[in-house]
Amino acid sequence: MSFFSIAQRHRVSLIILSVWIIAAFVLNHDAAFSLEGAGYPTSPDNSNSEKSQKTLVAKETPNLAITANVRKTVLANGLTVLTKEVHNAPVVTVQVWYKFGSGQEAPGVNGIAHQLEHMMFKGTSDRPIQFGRLFSALGSDSNAFTSYDQTAYYNTAERDKLTALLTLEADRMKNSLIDPQELISEKRVVISELQGYENSPEYRLNRAVMMSTFPNHPYRLPIGGTKADVEKFTVEEVREYYQKFYSPENAVLVIAGDFDTAPTLKNVENVFGKIPKRQYSPHNLITPSPSPKPVPVVKLQEPGGNPLLQIIYPLPQINQPDIPALEIMDYILTAGKNSYLHQELVESGLASKVYGNVASLRAGGWYEILVTGVGNQDLSKLDAAVIKALTKLAKVGVTTEQVERAKTQLTAAVILNNRDITSQAMQLGNDQITTDNYQYTERHLVDIRKVQTADVINVINKYLQTEARTVGFFEPTKQTETTRVSTSLNNQSLSYSTPIEDNSVVDIAVVSAEVKKYLPPLDRLPKTREKEIPQQLQLANGLRILLLPDRTTPTVTLSGHIKAGTEFESDDQGGIASLVAKNLMNGTKTKNMRTIAQELDAKGANLGFETYREGVRIQGSSLAVDLPVLLGTLTDVIRNSTFPVKELELSRQQALTSLDSELDDPDKVASRVFVQAIYPKKHPLHTFPTAKSIQQIKHQDVIAFKSQHYRPDTTVLALVGDFDVNQVRSLMQAQLGDWQVKGKPPTVKYPNVRMPKNVVNVNPVVSGKPQAITYMGYTGINRQDRRFYAAMILNQILGGDTLSSRLGAEVRDRQGLTYGIYSNFITGKNVGTFLIEMQTSPEDARKAIYSTRNLLKQVHQQGVTTQEVETAKRNLISNYNISLANPEQLSQRIVMNEVYGLNQVELRSFISKIEQVNLNQVNQAARELLHPDKLVVVTAGPPILAQKR
């Protein structure tokens, strides 16, 4: 897993450690909440905007003080404790960070830090049980990750679980078992994980380039290790690293959320203070020494989707004074449509995407530029274009406007990405581990504000030297689409008539008893007040607006839904809905793409549109003082977009490039083939983009689709944050009240879909992939189904979590066949899908599928237990409360409750509805909704091999 929210780009160097941070688990779905888990007047003038800024918010954004109420305590045994009270929700996060990652590994044991991270979930001498089951029973959102400089374990739960979480983390700091048999099984899981990463051309290219950049330093090697090294790990080696590095004086405990500091610190002393030091000797950091001579271009010629160019420049350690200017440089070069390299490479048609990242670590760092080429791109020419662009910038210089805009973006990013307590604690833990100073970010932003144009040019000239860089080319070998993805439903059917090896499954009664036996007690705390319900405003034109003030952070979060999804696409225009959504911000009647991007970037605000099956999601955020800019941009682009031809053609080319990448990704291929196997032709969900359909979409088609489907009476908006309700009502009425369209909104028919008569097996082959991705399932239920809440509980028991569920306990934990396995009832307004997904090596795919079907039969026929139902309820309720503490998840949930036709009281009543479900209802749902003999099974990747004996 990438570092807590890689999907949302945290560009600050101390937060983004690497694109390839390795975690214990993947596919961490919000079970049964997912919509598409299978797939997925003009703005005010300046004077009015300034006036609005004074009236929409109660106060101006204060000076940033991230660590104002943070307290640092060091116990006698050396454990550093950071506490931060945040009382905006009844939730706490407990995190333990160890100053030990892949950068501290000896030669020959690459990946041992990551392997040890996995083993830390396998039980202790006091609690010989899978810790994932304990965390799940507590309802904690728990996970872990390994990076170059650290390994971290994080848990977020309701506040009465604080002592229990502390107890579990202290237990595994001191008493982890590192059992020989468990290590054998978990090594298979880790290898499955590594093979999953190897499916990505970006990952393979990064590995090769890093090897050349740092030939004599641990940074050259992948964080997760190599298969050759992992296979050789011994119990003695893993235990040695555990004894050496998992010591209190080498750890940082971070607690953030709804608690009182004084009694909590006493509790920490009681729980952690008894753990003795282990004579830990600090690791001597070795500064990477790049090759003194220019390194030849690294070339990979392998099956893949698109040509890739990666450039890496070595950089100094994180505490060096050039880092702030390097951060500003990165924003100027690659942050968004307004960035310099986007203009030079993407807008010119030379590239489809450009990405940059400053990785600042304890021993050293690097600057990475990753460029996705177009078609059969000559990467030498693309590389020459990058050199030319950087040379020109160094000569011409950067502007004061560019530098100031980057400063604003950096500052706003830190605030906006610290709205939830998990992220706030992550910031503190990473700062303390990486820089020995939990206040680093705060001071770093002060240094950011001091950066001048000359500083940026200086670091460009100092570090972005042609002779200092390492360059990698990924040149995809030519292959036709039909050989890359074979999708015939009659292709390579599998037979399950013969049992495959092990038929036994985990004894659920024993597991439930163990969980109850080893679960720490909860804290006794008074009940918290009910969640506020948003205020609803419906304009005369049918637009629905939901407003929920929250003064805890000086930010606002916007979510929205427009019924303009891919369900309206015809086969000959597959991709048009996405093309429309991606072009909304490329020009309006009064502003071009550059102006729109500049206005948002100048405030550090974000606004985006994402298409899925049943609609278009709107996601936006800004500082509270900049809400008028955010709303003004939103209303302008959804009402007045003009789809300039140049930008539309550029988007078309990017869509074709993305399609090539998707058809090279086994996960995307499995999803596409699975959906098309379930839903027949002429069904609204059967259509997917093809190169032909994208190419034949005309400019007038885009305009017509937008005019037909973007309407106020099919739009829902939700706003959560620091604003005055009355003022926002007035502003939205003024900007959106006169938005008028003709006629009734378009509708789409969803025909009934029959279940398959038996098991249908498909093995679409994606060349050059070591790991197989399997999707299996059938049509499911919609959000309004009477069995929805019972199905959620059933799903949580079956496969809602990869460590605590029945599927996880059997297929992952006991047999070691997969890195991640999950089930999900994907619900929509119209239809739903039941889905199980997993990744395996090709030789393990048949056995994993067989074991999954066997377990489905068991649950279908025998049902689940009372203890499982109660544990699942606690987990779902706790995770629901955690989600409401995150503004993005809260605003999205408010929107979708409205879309699904649920009363907004659902925000409160959801918990009681879960509590009211009984065992009989869950088992009835199992009998009605689980069909182990009527499955569509799609395994994409390598050809499925016979099980090795």
Side-chain angles (χ1 to χ4, degrees):
M1 173 185 168
S2 58
F3 189 46
F4 64 97
S5 189
I6 270 299
Q8 268 197 323
R9 188 174 182 185
H10 259 208
R11 300 176 55 97
V12 182
S13 63
L14 61 144
I15 299 176
I16 284 194
L17 307 177
S18 170
V19 176
W20 304 117
I21 293 177
I22 308 299
F25 327 118
V26 292
L27 304 172
N28 190 20
H29 299 306
D30 187 2
F33 289 135
S34 173
L35 285 163
E36 282 296 307
Y40 281 42
T42 60
S43 59
D45 61 27
N46 290 338
S47 59
N48 289 337
S49 176
E50 290 174 3
K51 182 178 180 181
S52 298
Q53 289 179 19
K54 294 179 181 179
T55 58
L56 281 175
V57 295
K59 55 186 178 298
E60 295 292 326
T61 302
N63 292 329
L64 186 64
I66 300 169
T67 61
N69 63 333
V70 176
R71 179 171 172 180
K72 179 181 177 181
T73 306
V74 180
L75 304 187
N77 61 5
L79 177 68
T80 298
V81 183
L82 301 175
T83 54
K84 181 177 183 179
E85 292 187 29
V86 184
H87 297 290
N88 62 330
V91 174
V92 294
T93 187
V94 172
Q95 303 178 4
V96 179
W97 293 63
Y98 295 93
K99 193 179 289 187
F100 167 51
S102 64
Q104 288 75 52
E105 295 169 345
V109 290
N110 175 226
I112 201 164
H114 176 228
Q115 183 71 65
L116 180 53
E117 173 214 315
H118 278 242
M119 296 305 297
M120 290 288 283
F121 285 86
K122 307 298 282 189
T124 67
S125 55
D126 289 349
R127 292 177 176 84
I129 182 176
Q130 165 60 259
F131 265 45
R133 297 187 190 118
L134 298 176
F135 290 129
S136 179
L138 289 171
S140 173
D141 180 11
S142 299
N143 213 318
F145 68 86
T146 304
S147 184
Y148 295 100
D149 286 346
Q150 65 266 95
T151 305
Y153 303 82
Y154 57 96
N155 316 276
T156 303
E158 294 163 308
R159 62 179 189 154
D160 62 339
K161 317 292 174 50
L162 175 56
T163 301
L165 293 175
L166 294 172
T167 301
L168 293 178
E169 288 296 352
D171 188 15
R172 62 178 175 179
M173 177 185 284
K174 180 183 178 183
N175 302 315
S176 284
L177 284 173
I178 322 292
D179 177 77
Q181 288 303 118
E182 295 283 10
L183 178 60
I184 292 172
S185 173
E186 204 62 24
K187 286 200 296 185
R188 292 186 69 186
V189 171
V190 168
I191 290 170
S192 172
E193 177 182 357
L194 299 180
Q195 289 176 332
Y197 296 132
E198 292 285 347
N199 278 356
S200 165
E202 290 87 351
Y203 178 83
R204 301 199 300 274
L205 180 62
N206 178 267
R207 274 193 57 182
V209 176
M210 289 292 286
M211 187 75 74
S212 293
T213 305
F214 303 110
N216 301 306
H217 194 275
Y219 287 168
R220 78 189 188 280
L221 295 169
I223 296 168
T226 61
K227 180 180 178 182
D229 279 357
V230 171
E231 288 177 331
K232 293 184 295 185
F233 291 156
T234 66
V235 170
E236 290 74 24
E237 287 173 327
V238 179
R239 285 175 178 169
E240 177 188 351
Y241 274 79
Y242 174 66
Q243 292 295 329
K244 180 176 181 181
F245 290 102
Y246 279 62
S247 182
E249 71 270 34
N250 193 44
V252 176
L253 169 65
V254 186
I255 307 170
D258 192 15
F259 64 92
D260 294 324
T261 300
T264 297
L265 286 175
K266 290 182 180 178
N267 205 0
V268 168
E269 178 64 45
N270 291 334
V271 175
F272 281 90
K274 300 172 185 176
I275 301 176
K277 295 182 179 180
R278 290 178 171 168
Q279 285 75 49
Y280 163 75
S281 54
H283 180 80
N284 293 322
L285 290 178
I286 302 171
T287 302
S289 299
S291 175
K293 298 179 181 179
V295 179
V297 173
V298 177
K299 291 187 178 181
L300 298 184
Q301 293 180 326
E302 300 170 355
N306 298 114
L308 301 170
L309 166 66
Q310 184 169 48
I311 306 170
I312 290 181
Y313 302 87
L315 294 182
Q317 299 166 332
I318 189 169
N319 280 314
Q320 294 301 308
D322 284 337
I323 296 299
L326 286 164
E327 295 283 359
I328 296 294
M329 174 202 75
D330 176 39
Y331 264 79
I332 291 171
L333 288 178
T334 66
K337 292 181 178 179
N338 225 24
S339 64
Y340 177 72
L341 287 182
H342 185 275
Q343 294 176 38
E344 293 290 318
L345 303 178
V346 178
E347 291 184 22
S348 66
L350 292 173
S352 174
K353 289 187 293 187
V354 60
Y355 165 85
N357 175 47
V358 175
S360 298
L361 307 176
R362 281 192 286 149
W366 57 89
Y367 182 56
E368 169 195 3
I369 297 175
L370 180 65
V371 185
T372 303
V374 176
N376 298 319
Q377 182 83 0
D378 184 335
L379 291 174
S380 297
K381 292 182 179 179
L382 185 58
D383 185 34
V386 174
I387 294 174
K388 181 179 178 181
L390 293 176
T391 302
K392 183 175 77 171
L393 182 64
K395 184 177 180 180
V396 174
V398 298
T399 66
T400 300
E401 179 189 2
Q402 288 175 309
V403 172
E404 292 305 313
R405 184 167 61 238
K407 291 178 184 179
T408 301
Q409 289 176 288
L410 273 160
T411 303
V414 171
I415 299 173
L416 293 172
N417 288 304
N418 276 278
R419 285 171 289 175
D420 64 281
I421 63 166
T422 302
S423 298
Q424 292 176 45
M426 285 277 186
Q427 183 83 68
L428 295 171
N430 183 66
D431 284 354
Q432 183 63 37
I433 286 288
T434 309
T435 70
D436 295 317
N437 178 8
Y438 71 89
Q439 296 177 318
Y440 175 82
T441 294
E442 202 165 312
R443 297 179 182 180
H444 180 67
L445 290 177
V446 172
D447 293 335
I448 286 287
R449 295 188 189 105
K450 298 176 183 177
V451 173
Q452 303 298 316
T453 56
D455 300 323
V456 177
I457 296 302
N458 286 340
V459 295
I460 290 175
N461 288 324
K462 184 175 180 179
Y463 296 107
L464 303 194
Q465 294 293 319
T466 304
E467 60 272 14
R469 67 195 195 129
T470 305
V471 180
F473 292 172
F474 180 85
E475 299 171 336
T477 53
K478 288 187 178 181
Q479 53 192 339
T480 63
E481 186 172 317
T482 54
T483 58
R484 185 189 307 164
V485 183
S486 174
T487 62
S488 169
L489 296 187
N490 296 316
N491 182 42
Q492 300 191 46
S493 289
L494 302 178
S495 171
Y496 301 106
S497 58
T498 304
I500 303 173
E501 292 189 12
D502 193 350
N503 257 342
S504 60
V505 294
V506 173
D507 189 329
I508 297 302
V510 172
V511 170
S512 298
E514 283 185 336
V515 170
K516 189 174 182 180
K517 176 181 177 181
Y518 294 120
L519 200 63
L522 307 185
D523 299 327
R524 293 186 176 182
L525 297 173
K527 286 188 176 182
T528 57
R529 62 185 178 86
E530 288 187 309
K531 186 68 183 177
E532 294 292 328
I533 294 176
Q535 300 182 37
Q536 186 166 7
L537 168 66
Q538 181 156 342
L539 304 185
N541 57 14
L543 176 68
R544 290 162 287 171
I545 301 168
L546 300 142
L547 304 173
L548 185 61
D550 178 4
R551 308 288 186 183
T552 55
T553 65
T555 66
V556 288
T557 302
L558 172 73
S559 289
H561 168 95
I562 302 175
K563 190 172 175 57
T566 60
E567 63 184 0
F568 290 109
E569 295 179 343
S570 59
D571 286 340
D572 60 347
Q573 290 198 328
I576 190 171
S578 179
L579 207 58
V580 170
K582 290 184 183 301
N583 276 271
L584 289 173
M585 297 179 64
N586 281 343
T588 66
K589 295 175 182 177
T590 58
K591 298 174 184 176
N592 60 24
M593 179 187 71
R594 184 92 61 245
T595 302
I596 294 170
Q598 285 174 342
E599 289 182 351
L600 290 173
D601 290 348
K603 303 298 184 181
N606 304 288
L607 180 62
F609 300 84
E610 178 188 7
T611 309
Y612 72 105
R613 288 296 174 181
E614 294 186 340
V616 174
R617 291 191 189 96
I618 304 170
Q619 295 175 307
S621 60
S622 73
L623 300 181
V625 72
D626 298 318
L627 176 58
V629 175
L630 180 64
L631 291 181
T633 303
L634 171 70
T635 55
D636 190 22
V637 299
I638 63 175
R639 295 190 62 177
N640 305 315
S641 51
T642 55
F643 305 101
V645 173
K646 178 184 177 182
E647 283 73 21
L648 178 61
E649 291 309 310
L650 186 61
S651 292
R652 187 197 308 275
Q653 184 56 60
Q654 290 172 332
L656 291 169
T657 302
S658 295
L659 179 62
D660 283 339
S661 293
E662 289 176 8
L663 295 178
D664 182 60
D665 183 344
D667 184 64
K668 298 292 178 59
V669 170
S671 172
R672 174 186 285 234
V673 175
F674 173 76
V675 170
Q676 290 188 322
I678 291 177
Y679 301 107
K681 287 185 177 181
K682 306 303 180 184
H683 191 283
L685 300 190
H686 185 87
T687 300
F688 279 83
T690 64
K692 181 180 179 181
S693 70
I694 293 171
Q695 287 167 339
Q696 63 189 19
I697 296 170
K698 299 180 176 63
H699 184 258
Q700 58 265 34
D701 297 331
V702 172
I703 294 174
F705 187 94
K706 195 266 181 178
S707 176
Q708 185 178 14
H709 297 288
Y710 282 69
R711 308 166 52 98
D713 50 359
T714 63
T715 300
V716 179
L717 299 175
L719 196 64
V720 175
D722 189 5
F723 57 83
D724 179 270
V725 170
N726 292 329
Q727 295 294 338
V728 171
R729 280 172 174 262
S730 298
L731 180 64
M732 287 190 160
Q733 178 68 55
Q735 293 190 342
L736 294 164
D738 62 346
W739 181 14
Q740 299 295 331
V741 291
K742 295 179 181 179
K744 293 183 178 181
T747 58
V748 60
K749 260 190 177 180
Y750 278 78
N752 291 328
V753 177
R754 294 179 180 179
M755 296 281 292
K757 294 180 180 179
N758 46 35
V759 177
V760 178
N761 306 284
V762 196
N763 180 205
V765 175
V766 186
S767 303
K769 307 301 179 184
Q771 189 80 167
I773 306 295
T774 296
Y775 276 48
M776 52 197 302
Y778 39 76
T779 55
I781 59 174
N782 63 31
R783 180 60 179 86
Q784 290 281 14
D785 194 286
R786 59 178 175 78
R787 300 163 293 185
F788 173 78
Y789 301 96
M792 289 191 65
I793 295 170
L794 171 64
N795 183 76
Q796 185 64 28
I797 296 167
L798 177 66
D801 182 275
T802 198
L803 290 184
S804 64
S805 66
R806 287 205 186 186
L807 285 172
E810 174 63 21
V811 183
R812 183 199 193 275
D813 211 35
R814 192 178 73 84
Q815 297 188 45
L817 297 176
T818 178
Y819 169 51
I821 181 168
Y822 290 86
S823 65
N824 204 348
F825 284 96
I826 303 166
T827 58
K829 184 176 178 63
N830 296 292
V831 299
T833 304
F834 172 69
L835 170 68
I836 297 172
E837 54 185 305
M838 58 183 157
Q839 66 176 76
T840 62
S841 62
E843 59 267 22
D844 287 337
R846 293 188 65 201
K847 182 177 180 181
I849 293 167
Y850 177 82
S851 297
T852 299
R853 287 189 61 215
N854 196 35
L855 197 143
L856 277 176
K857 288 179 182 178
Q858 182 192 62
V859 177
H860 172 73
Q861 295 169 0
Q862 302 173 20
V864 299
T865 67
T866 301
Q867 183 66 43
E868 285 180 299
V869 170
E870 293 308 312
T871 299
K873 285 182 180 182
R874 287 198 300 270
N875 185 280
L876 290 169
I877 291 170
S878 181
N879 276 283
Y880 180 76
N881 284 326
I882 293 168
S883 74
L884 297 187
N886 184 311
E888 290 181 355
Q889 294 183 44
L890 173 59
S891 60
Q892 180 67 14
R893 197 174 296 278
I894 291 170
V895 165
M896 297 317 297
N897 282 346
E898 180 68 24
V899 171
Y900 291 144
L902 303 170
N903 193 302
Q904 285 304 317
V905 177
E906 175 74 9
L907 273 182
R908 291 177 179 171
S909 62
F910 173 87
I911 291 175
S912 64
K913 290 176 181 177
I914 289 292
E915 289 174 333
Q916 290 166 14
V917 176
N918 59 43
L919 176 64
N920 289 336
Q921 291 171 318
V922 176
N923 285 334
Q924 182 67 25
R927 289 189 292 272
E928 294 176 1
L929 300 178
L930 300 183
H931 306 285
D933 296 321
K934 297 181 179 181
L935 289 164
V936 171
V937 181
V938 177
T939 302
I944 297 178
L945 306 177
Q947 177 69 27
K948 292 182 178 179
R949 301 278 180 181

Short mmCIF file of all heavy atoms in Angstrom, two decimals, residues 10 63 111 185 196 340 391 426 507 591:
data_model
loop_
_atom_site.label_atom_id
_atom_site.label_comp_id
_atom_site.label_asym_id
_atom_site.label_seq_id
_atom_site.Cartn_x
_atom_site.Cartn_y
_atom_site.Cartn_z
N HIS A 10 0.14 14.01 -2.08
CA HIS A 10 0.82 14.77 -1.05
C HIS A 10 2.21 15.03 -1.56
O HIS A 10 3.06 14.18 -1.49
CB HIS A 10 0.92 13.91 0.22
CG HIS A 10 -0.10 14.26 1.23
ND1 HIS A 10 0.09 14.07 2.56
CD2 HIS A 10 -1.34 14.79 1.12
CE1 HIS A 10 -0.97 14.44 3.23
NE2 HIS A 10 -1.85 14.88 2.38
N ASN A 63 -2.68 31.78 11.23
CA ASN A 63 -1.33 31.33 10.93
C ASN A 63 -1.23 29.85 11.25
O ASN A 63 -1.73 29.38 12.27
CB ASN A 63 -0.31 32.11 11.77
CG ASN A 63 -0.22 33.56 11.35
OD1 ASN A 63 -0.43 33.87 10.18
ND2 ASN A 63 0.07 34.44 12.29
N GLY A 111 14.44 -6.74 1.97
CA GLY A 111 13.03 -6.99 2.22
C GLY A 111 12.74 -7.56 3.60
O GLY A 111 11.58 -7.82 3.92
N SER A 185 4.51 -19.65 5.60
CA SER A 185 3.26 -19.22 4.95
C SER A 185 3.33 -17.76 4.54
O SER A 185 2.93 -17.39 3.43
CB SER A 185 2.09 -19.46 5.90
OG SER A 185 0.90 -18.92 5.38
N GLY A 196 2.75 -8.93 -7.52
CA GLY A 196 1.71 -7.97 -7.87
C GLY A 196 2.29 -6.65 -8.30
O GLY A 196 1.83 -6.04 -9.28
N TYR A 340 5.03 23.86 -15.61
CA TYR A 340 5.91 24.14 -16.75
C TYR A 340 6.06 22.92 -17.66
O TYR A 340 5.91 23.01 -18.88
CB TYR A 340 7.28 24.58 -16.23
CG TYR A 340 8.30 24.83 -17.31
CD1 TYR A 340 8.21 25.94 -18.13
CD2 TYR A 340 9.36 23.94 -17.50
CE1 TYR A 340 9.15 26.17 -19.13
CE2 TYR A 340 10.30 24.16 -18.49
CZ TYR A 340 10.20 25.27 -19.31
OH TYR A 340 11.12 25.49 -20.30
N THR A 391 16.65 23.20 -19.68
CA THR A 391 17.71 24.15 -20.04
C THR A 391 17.13 25.53 -20.29
O THR A 391 17.67 26.56 -19.85
CB THR A 391 18.47 23.66 -21.29
OG1 THR A 391 19.01 22.36 -21.02
CG2 THR A 391 19.59 24.62 -21.65
N MET A 426 0.12 10.77 11.22
CA MET A 426 1.13 10.35 10.25
C MET A 426 2.18 11.44 10.05
O MET A 426 3.38 11.17 9.97
CB MET A 426 0.46 10.05 8.91
CG MET A 426 -0.31 8.75 8.87
SD MET A 426 0.77 7.36 8.55
CE MET A 426 -0.43 6.06 8.37
N ASP A 507 -11.43 -23.50 11.73
CA ASP A 507 -12.55 -23.77 12.63
C ASP A 507 -13.03 -22.44 13.21
O ASP A 507 -12.39 -21.86 14.07
CB ASP A 507 -12.11 -24.71 13.75
CG ASP A 507 -13.29 -25.19 14.60
OD1 ASP A 507 -14.26 -24.44 14.73
OD2 ASP A 507 -13.22 -26.32 15.12
N LYS A 591 -13.37 32.01 -19.77
CA LYS A 591 -12.03 31.66 -19.29
C LYS A 591 -11.48 30.48 -20.06
O LYS A 591 -12.21 29.54 -20.38
CB LYS A 591 -12.07 31.31 -17.79
CG LYS A 591 -12.53 32.46 -16.91
CD LYS A 591 -12.69 32.00 -15.47
CE LYS A 591 -13.24 33.12 -14.61
NZ LYS A 591 -13.51 32.69 -13.23
#
